[in-house]
Amino acid sequence: MIDFNDLDELLFTIQKQFDYDFSEYSKASMLRRINRFMEINSMTTAVDLQFELINNPKIFKEFINEIVVNVSEFFRDPSFYQSLTKNIFPYLDSYPKINIWSAGCSFGEETYSLAILLKETGMYDKTRLYATDISSNAIEKSKKGIYPNINFKDYSKNYFECGGQASLNNYFISDEKNSIINSDFKKNILFSNHNLVTDGVFKECQLILCRNVLIYFNDELQNKVLKLFYDSLPIHGFLALGKKESLRFSSVYENFKEIDRNEKIYQKIK
Amino acid sequence: MIIIGGSAGSFNTILSILNGLDKNFSVPIVIVLHRLKNYESSFEDILRHHTHYIVKEVEDKEIIKNGIVYTAPSNYHLLLEENNTFSLDVSELVNYSRPSIDVTFESASAILKEKCCGILLSGANNDGAKGLKRIAENNGTTIIQDCQEAEYKNMPNAAKLIYKYHQELNTKNIINKLNNEYC
Ligand SMILES: C[S@@+](CC[C@H](N)C(=O)[O-])C[C@H]1O[C@@H](n2cnc3c(N)ncnc32)[C@H](O)[C@@H]1O
């Protein structure tokens, strides 16, 4: 097990050797992820870990996959998606073409959920969804769009709580173990690698979703990334954060209006 | 800081403890309670109504202040940072739970060491046992609810099984101890 003292040194090494900058991530959660990784791989000291990371590229890849938290769900927080369809979709629908950015898309659950709702409201065909993540593994998985059936009971429940009209299964083809998203949903979605810490404005979009990513950053980094979102939005564009994240401490707070305080949906007003 | 972990059958005990504390009890209290996801349960409202405390569901990177009772939001793990703030985390369930009591106990113990006080109440699972042991190993204070008194004794009992030196107290004695030592 490593402690806070080992952490800074380790992150410094990772930055120097591999060009991944985790120095402004939330320390508590970083520490927990790293210790979890070490436990799974039977490593006991910071020295063991550093040695493996530097000498074993496969281990390094696994390490990155493990410390960024790729946990997600279809229609996570149904009340959020409800608010989005009710308060934001009608506004977006007034555009001839819609661009949406889902930043930190994990394995694509959030992006495909959004695509399904856009489909149901007849807006999918004129929308381009840009979904990005730091993790190449996550991007590969997102592109495949294959999900284990065991989770679908929860997903269907979420979907109905969002007000879903059809059956979620209609949008997938399943075998006994897994379900794959209908290929129609891949047409208008572009999955790609993008690091919010080091990469710049991705594309101007009328709606940006970045949910449950900022919690892994310290407040300075949160502030920087929020500034990046501000720069990526046109005036009147929307920003949606995770349920327990907020703009409150950020320097761009004044430039946004709260559309739904509980669901953390904001609109850029200046 | 005092961290109370509870699951099935712990709600009324939490209420009694909060109501039993001296009016000028100001050490921050954190409550990690298992509850259903996606339902905005009225837990915080009930606490607000029935105690004199300021009750706050934790927001990410919030600064920890005296005199406040904090609750872990459902569907997030709750962690402590070195700079006296909270962090939230949506990673995998631990012991089938998110928030997991183990996660908060372990994280708090790493920061607060001997200043950490963990209390584990009634519950039907094993969450909290490992974390409470960690607090004890870092010389913090550890209390489990009297297994006779707990509505579901599994949780305090699991803690006792892996570490036998926790203080096992009923609600009244938990209150007395907190008032004597933290007030
Ligand atoms: C907990 S998931 C959130 C998934 C989804 N948005 C949700 O709310 O369910 C966090 C995601 O952020 C990604 N992430 C972490 N650091 C990042 C960075 N610097 N740039 C882009 N994505 C990042 C992780 O790889 C992970 O997929």
Side-chain angles (χ1 to χ4, degrees):
Chain A
M1 245 186 56
I2 65 162
D3 60 22
F4 283 103
N5 297 326
D6 304 316
L7 187 63
D8 290 330
E9 196 193 312
L10 186 70
L11 296 184
F12 183 69
T13 311
I14 292 173
Q15 183 173 6
K16 260 194 348 208
Q17 291 272 336
F18 303 97
D19 220 25
Y20 274 102
D21 185 1
F22 294 116
S23 61
E24 292 181 294
Y25 275 55
S26 140
K27 291 224 156 55
S29 134
M30 236 338 144
L31 191 68
R32 198 178 151 246
R33 295 311 283 181
I34 294 176
N35 278 324
R36 203 182 109 100
F37 176 83
M38 290 175 65
E39 208 180 310
I40 297 171
N41 290 281
S42 322
M43 301 172 184
T44 46
T45 66
V47 180
D48 289 347
L49 177 63
Q50 292 217 15
F51 181 85
E52 287 296 331
L53 291 181
I54 292 171
N55 294 296
N56 189 340
K58 194 169 148 273
I59 288 276
F60 182 73
K61 257 186 111 168
E62 285 168 18
F63 177 75
I64 294 294
N65 292 342
E66 182 59 34
I67 59 170
V68 299
V69 176
N70 288 139
V71 179
S72 189
E73 301 166 27
F74 276 85
F75 303 101
R76 167 183 262 162
D77 304 322
S79 54
F80 163 73
Y81 285 95
Q82 256 182 350
S83 177
L84 200 66
T85 27
K86 183 166 149 263
N87 299 315
I88 311 300
F89 277 17
Y91 186 92
L92 293 180
D93 205 12
S94 64
Y95 288 94
K97 272 196 154 50
I98 307 165
N99 287 330
I100 299 177
W101 178 15
S102 144
C105 64
S106 199
F107 296 164
E109 297 91 336
E110 171 181 288
T111 321
Y112 289 124
S113 301
L114 207 55
I116 289 172
L117 295 178
L118 288 163
K119 183 103 189 163
E120 293 187 350
T121 45
M123 293 158 62
Y124 177 68
D125 289 332
K126 63 170 174 176
T127 306
R128 288 281 167 286
L129 288 144
Y130 300 90
T132 60
D133 203 282
I134 188 179
S135 149
S136 343
N137 176 53
I139 293 303
E140 279 165 38
K141 288 231 166 93
S142 296
K143 283 183 181 161
K144 292 202 176 99
I146 301 173
Y147 305 92
N149 291 342
I150 37 164
N151 298 328
F152 269 75
K153 224 178 114 207
D154 285 342
Y155 296 166
S156 290
K157 193 162 164 277
N158 285 351
Y159 171 70
F160 280 118
E161 282 172 27
C162 296
Q165 300 291 319
S167 155
L168 189 57
N169 295 323
N170 291 357
Y171 301 115
F172 294 84
I173 298 168
S174 313
D175 62 20
E176 33 333 328
K177 272 185 125 166
N178 295 303
S179 298
I180 180 165
I181 188 95
N182 286 349
S183 57
D184 188 32
F185 286 110
K186 294 181 179 168
K187 279 200 315 238
N188 297 359
I189 306 180
L190 190 76
F191 289 103
S192 55
N193 267 105
H194 179 275
N195 183 345
L196 290 166
V197 181
T198 44
D199 299 336
V201 168
F202 182 73
K203 169 126 197 130
E204 189 175 277
C205 289
Q206 293 111 322
L207 167 64
I208 299 174
L209 267 79
C210 184
R211 309 192 70 230
N212 301 305
V213 181
L214 296 182
I215 45 176
Y216 297 104
F217 300 166
N218 71 18
D219 31 12
E220 283 123 71
L221 183 55
Q222 291 196 12
N223 197 20
K224 272 189 238 171
V225 174
L226 287 167
K227 179 79 180 37
L228 173 71
F229 293 147
Y230 172 80
D231 292 333
S232 309
L233 286 169
I235 200 94
H236 304 314
F238 299 95
L239 174 64
L241 304 178
K243 241 188 138 102
K244 298 295 157 196
E245 296 163 332
S246 88
L247 274 181
R248 243 175 330 132
F249 311 112
S250 105
S251 58
V252 293
Y253 179 70
E254 295 284 307
N255 302 81
F256 284 88
K257 181 171 104 183
E258 264 177 0
I259 299 292
D260 186 331
R261 162 180 291 211
N262 269 330
E263 304 302 339
K264 305 293 157 65
I265 303 176
Y266 303 89
Q267 181 173 35
K268 174 168 166 176
I269 49 165
K270 59 181 177 198
Chain B
M1 174 180 291
I2 293 162
I3 304 160
I4 305 178
S7 190
S10 67
F11 185 73
N12 286 326
T13 313
I14 292 174
L15 216 55
S16 308
I17 293 174
L18 292 180
N19 277 320
L21 296 178
D22 281 350
K23 287 279 172 282
N24 50 356
F25 193 95
S26 70
V27 179
I29 299 173
V30 177
I31 298 173
V32 183
L33 181 74
H34 294 157
R35 44 182 158 168
L36 287 175
K37 71 174 236 202
N38 292 348
Y39 294 96
E40 305 281 335
S41 62
S42 49
F43 172 55
E44 283 79 12
D45 285 339
I46 299 175
L47 289 186
R48 266 179 215 119
H49 247 86
H50 294 277
T51 74
H52 64 279
Y53 278 98
I54 301 171
V55 179
K56 273 212 87 212
E57 194 183 63
V58 171
E59 295 226 18
D60 184 51
K61 303 297 173 300
E62 175 163 2
I63 296 169
I64 303 168
K65 295 194 183 129
N66 278 343
I68 296 184
V69 171
Y70 293 98
T71 61
S74 83
N75 234 353
Y76 290 84
H77 293 304
L78 177 63
L79 306 168
L80 261 76
E81 297 284 351
E82 279 176 313
N83 62 355
N84 201 38
T85 58
F86 290 113
S87 270
L88 298 174
D89 167 23
V90 290
S91 61
E92 302 82 357
L93 307 188
V94 173
N95 307 316
Y96 309 99
S97 313
R98 194 174 55 208
S100 147
I101 302 166
D102 269 343
V103 169
T104 304
F105 277 172
E106 283 171 11
S107 169
S109 177
I111 305 266
L112 302 168
K113 310 280 183 199
E114 73 283 352
K115 294 201 196 79
C116 184
C117 170
I119 305 178
L120 194 60
L121 304 176
S122 163
N125 54 64
N126 291 342
D127 195 19
K130 267 177 75 185
L132 200 66
K133 182 167 178 231
R134 177 76 59 77
I135 298 178
E137 286 163 353
N138 281 333
N139 301 317
T141 307
T142 55
I143 301 170
I144 56 173
Q145 186 177 11
D146 184 346
C147 289
Q148 303 290 325
E149 183 195 71
E151 204 175 318
Y152 296 89
K153 66 171 183 204
N154 218 68
M155 218 159 77
N157 201 42
K160 190 155 77 173
L161 284 178
I162 62 166
Y163 187 86
K164 57 183 181 200
Y165 305 108
H166 301 305
Q167 302 182 57
E168 184 173 351
L169 305 174
N170 63 21
T171 308
K172 190 167 145 269
N173 287 330
I174 294 175
I175 295 168
N176 287 340
K177 183 176 167 71
L178 294 178
N179 280 334
N180 288 336
E181 292 181 18
Y182 292 90
C183 220

